[in-house]
Amino acid sequence: DAMVIQNPRYQVTQFGKPVTLSCSQTLNHNVMYWYQQKSSQAPKLLFHYYDKDFNNEADTPDNFQSRRPNTSFCFLDIRSPGLGDAAMYLCATSRRLAGGGDTQYFGPGTRLTVL
Amino acid sequence: AQKVTQAQTEISVVEKEDVTLDCVYETRDTTYYLFWYKQPPSGELVFLIRRNSFDEQNEISGRYSWNFQKSTSSFNFTITASQVVDSAVYFCALSGGGNQFYFGTGTSLTVIP
C-alpha cells in the first residue's frame, strides 16, 4: 500500500543534542510537510517542500531545519532541542499545494522526548 | 481570515449513541475545501473526508455522515451507533486560496462501553 512512513516512532534525546527525524513516502507526491503537534493542540505547520522548493513558516524557529534529498524522503533536523520542543512531529504529503484543495496524507508521527 | 472553530472540546457518549461533532469555518475565498481527520491515541491523523465549496451534498459512509451547509458555514460530522473504536480526537480543517491547512482545535470523543 502507498503510504507515508516515519522513523523512528519514538525518539528520546538530551537537551541540546541534535536529532534528525525521517519521513518517506511511496505516494510520489510533490509536496511534503512537517508539523509539530503538542499535547491537546492542533498540528502546527513548520515548513513544506514543493518539489525542491523549501517554504518556511514565518514563526518556525531557526532551530528547525529540513532537507529533501529526493522526492521520497524528507528530514527534520532539530539542531539544539529544548524542553519546549518535546512534541509529536507529523509528516504529511499531498499531490499539490493546499490551495489546490488536495488532501494531505499523514504519517504515524514521531513522538520526541527531550530530557 | 481563515479560521476553523470546533467549539466542543470533549464529548463523552455511551456506546451505540449517535454523536455530532460541530465545525464552523470562516473564509473569504469562494473556492475552498473542508476536511475531517481522525486522530486515535496512536497519533496518526487519518483522513476521513474532503468536500469542496461547490458541493453541498451531504455524504454518508457507513456509520459516518457529514452535513455541509454554506448558509451557516458549517461542516458537521455525525457518527451513528458509536463504538469504542470511534474514541479519538477529530479535527476539522480548511484550505483555500493560500497554501495553508487551517486546523480546528479538535474534539476529543470518548465512547464508553
Side-chain angles (χ1 to χ4, degrees):
Chain A
D1 288 341
M3 58 177 60
V4 182
I5 302 162
Q6 290 187 245
N7 286 303
R9 295 292 309 277
Y10 300 89
Q11 176 73 57
V12 179
T13 190
Q14 291 182 336
F15 183 94
K17 185 174 181 182
V19 66
T20 295
L21 309 182
S22 168
C23 177
S24 64
Q25 54 128 342
T26 60
L27 297 160
N28 203 32
H29 282 172
N30 294 315
V31 192
M32 294 187 78
Y33 308 81
W34 279 105
Y35 287 86
Q36 179 193 64
Q37 186 180 27
K38 295 189 176 181
S39 183
S40 302
Q41 295 184 18
K44 178 180 180 300
L45 183 64
L46 295 173
F47 24 60
H48 72 269
Y49 272 96
Y50 182 82
D51 288 334
K52 293 184 179 181
D53 292 335
F54 176 70
N55 292 271
N56 202 27
E57 292 302 303
D59 57 354
T60 298
D62 293 339
N63 198 24
F64 292 87
Q65 304 284 319
S66 186
R67 295 171 283 133
R68 189 179 185 185
N70 54 52
T71 300
S72 301
F73 284 87
C74 195
F75 299 98
L76 169 62
D77 300 309
I78 308 176
R79 293 192 295 187
S80 182
L83 298 178
D85 297 327
M88 174 74 90
Y89 291 87
L90 295 162
C91 175
T93 74
S94 65
R95 192 162 49 91
R96 297 173 300 174
L97 291 168
D102 276 30
T103 300
Q104 292 188 19
Y105 294 93
F106 286 80
T110 295
R111 190 171 297 279
L112 177 68
T113 300
V114 181
L115 300 177
Chain B
Q2 316 265 24
K3 186 179 178 182
V4 175
T5 300
Q6 294 180 255
Q8 304 152 307
T9 306
E10 295 182 0
I11 301 176
S12 292
V13 298
V14 176
E15 199 171 23
K16 298 184 183 176
E17 287 184 345
D18 299 347
V19 58
T20 295
L21 309 182
D22 297 333
C23 173
V24 174
Y25 62 91
E26 295 176 29
T27 181
R28 292 181 183 168
D29 294 324
T30 53
T31 301
Y32 54 90
Y33 303 84
L34 295 162
F35 303 81
W36 275 96
Y37 285 85
K38 173 183 180 180
Q39 189 173 40
S42 60
E44 181 174 357
L45 274 164
V46 178
F47 166 70
L48 296 178
I49 190 170
R50 168 186 179 271
R51 175 66 78 223
N52 75 54
S53 52
F54 298 108
D55 182 2
E56 282 193 78
Q57 276 192 332
N58 292 331
E59 175 134 353
I60 298 174
S61 176
R63 295 184 297 107
Y64 295 172
S65 62
W66 290 269
N67 182 1
F68 177 26
Q69 291 196 333
K70 288 177 76 171
S71 60
T72 56
S73 297
S74 65
F75 186 42
N76 295 338
F77 172 30
T78 297
I79 302 174
T80 302
S82 59
Q83 300 176 1
V84 172
V85 293
D86 297 326
S87 297
V89 179
Y90 291 86
F91 288 96
C92 181
L94 164 73
S95 73
N99 292 319
Q100 271 266 25
F101 246 46
Y102 294 88
F103 283 95
T105 49
T107 296
S108 178
L109 174 65
T110 301
V111 180
I112 302 165

